[in-house]
Amino acid sequence: MSETEEKLIADGKRLDGREFEQLRPIQIEVKIINRANGSALVNFGETHAVASVHGPRALFPRWMQESDTGILRCRYNMAPFSVEDRKSPGPDRRSVEISKVSRLAIEPAIFLEDFPKATIDVFIEILQADGSTRVTGINAASLALADAGVPMRDLVTACSVGKINGVLVADLNGKEDNCSEADMSFAMLSTKKKITLLQMDGNVSKEELMILLNLAEKSCEKIYEMQKKALKEKYKRV
Ligand code: ADP
């Protein structure tokens, strides 16, 4: 049996009991690291991501500075203990790519032009990986930036969608991701509905693509409400 033929749906439900469009249980906590300017933890089921933000702060060495804008630096890292077989520590091709697309997904939200010669550093650490780690990390990073008081146009909200056993679903877990016919990572600025990340592996028809985009947007709207609630909770505590 090929990977894509693996049975991922039984009795009209996904193997973890979810409906097709249902997200995993989501937990969000803001301000979890004292030494960072901003931080957040986001759990999508068994995928756990922590983000910490440092800055805006002067960028050194000086030759890296941009005189008319600040820069955003983003590092995505999967902990060695985040997957079943230990992952070798340190950067690899995948983490370099995800760091870059995470930066590109987040950048449009930030008023970087307000911070010439400065840098904002975002560290995304995946503590536990069970699918959709890049989108979980982007949600955490966006909240950590807001927690750091970085001026933003909007929060960035991200989710995954895909096609498993011929069915279109939201928020793929690890097994679904590995055996999917297609999986898409999606991020947007919710208020303006501006898409900032769109990556897809696999094949879908044009009609299915439109349905997936719609499902991604609907899923992000749900996550956006949870992000706002978590931020408000934090300020209620302060
Ligand atoms: P994303 O996590 O954003 O969906 P990928 O599609 O590259 O990105 O990875 C899918 C899933 O595969 C991850 O969420 C994780 O569960 C698993 N995975 C990725 N890299 C490794 C690795 N080095 N070892 C074991 N599992 C991994």
Side-chain angles (χ1 to χ4, degrees):
M1 189 185 263
S2 80
E3 276 201 331
T4 50
E5 286 164 30
E6 186 143 343
K7 197 165 153 55
L8 297 169
I9 302 217
D11 303 326
K13 293 217 169 154
R14 294 156 77 175
L15 294 188
D16 58 10
R18 276 187 292 159
E19 306 291 342
F20 301 148
E21 299 191 358
Q22 192 177 347
L23 305 175
R24 288 174 286 181
I26 295 178
Q27 284 174 336
I28 300 179
E29 208 178 318
V30 178
K31 192 167 270 319
I32 54 158
I33 300 168
N34 279 341
R35 283 193 197 92
N37 295 112
S39 55
L41 165 76
V42 174
N43 299 343
F44 275 27
E46 297 301 315
T47 293
H48 298 181
V50 165
S52 89
V53 167
H54 302 260
R57 58 187 177 186
L59 175 61
F60 293 105
R62 263 179 218 276
W63 62 264
M64 287 179 77
Q65 294 179 355
E66 298 283 344
S67 56
D68 55 351
T69 184
I71 65 163
L72 177 69
R73 296 190 292 194
C74 201
R75 193 193 72 177
Y76 163 102
N77 180 55
M78 247 171 63
F81 51 81
S82 64
V83 287
E84 213 162 290
D85 297 323
R86 177 181 175 275
K87 180 203 163 284
S88 57
D92 50 26
R93 262 183 64 168
R94 177 177 172 276
S95 66
V96 170
E97 178 220 318
I98 298 182
S99 298
K100 181 177 177 189
V101 298
S102 300
R103 174 174 62 76
L104 294 173
I106 297 163
E107 229 166 29
I110 305 176
F111 290 98
L112 280 172
E113 60 276 21
D114 288 355
F115 303 100
K117 300 184 180 178
T119 177
I120 299 171
D121 294 320
V122 177
F123 298 92
I124 297 169
E125 297 290 329
I126 306 301
L127 304 182
Q128 200 168 276
D130 184 28
S132 311
T133 61
R134 79 191 66 196
V135 292
T136 310
I138 289 170
N139 287 322
S142 160
L143 286 163
L145 283 159
D147 179 39
V150 172
M152 294 167 80
R153 293 177 175 85
D154 199 353
L155 287 171
V156 186
T157 308
C159 72
S160 68
V161 291
K163 183 176 174 184
I164 56 171
N165 291 172
V167 177
L168 304 180
V169 297
D171 185 24
L172 281 70
N173 64 29
K175 182 161 190 183
E176 291 173 338
D177 196 317
N178 285 336
C179 307
S180 65
E181 283 146 77
D183 69 274
M184 180 195 285
S185 297
F186 178 96
M188 70 174 194
L189 304 183
S190 286
T191 314
K192 292 222 160 94
K193 300 208 182 303
K194 183 183 160 87
I195 296 173
T196 62
L197 171 72
L198 189 56
Q199 288 185 293
M200 197 178 87
D201 280 334
N203 291 315
V204 290
S205 68
K206 192 174 159 194
E207 289 70 32
E208 285 171 332
L209 179 62
M210 297 320 287
I211 296 170
L212 281 180
L213 285 170
N214 209 348
L215 178 57
E217 197 181 309
K218 250 174 46 188
S219 306
C220 279
E221 277 163 14
K222 291 182 201 161
I223 298 163
Y224 184 56
E225 291 308 314
M226 293 181 219
Q227 286 177 304
K228 284 194 295 186
K229 188 162 168 244
L231 276 171
K232 282 183 190 157
E233 282 293 317
K234 181 218 143 183
Y235 285 106
K236 227 174 8 185
R237 287 204 307 268
V238 169

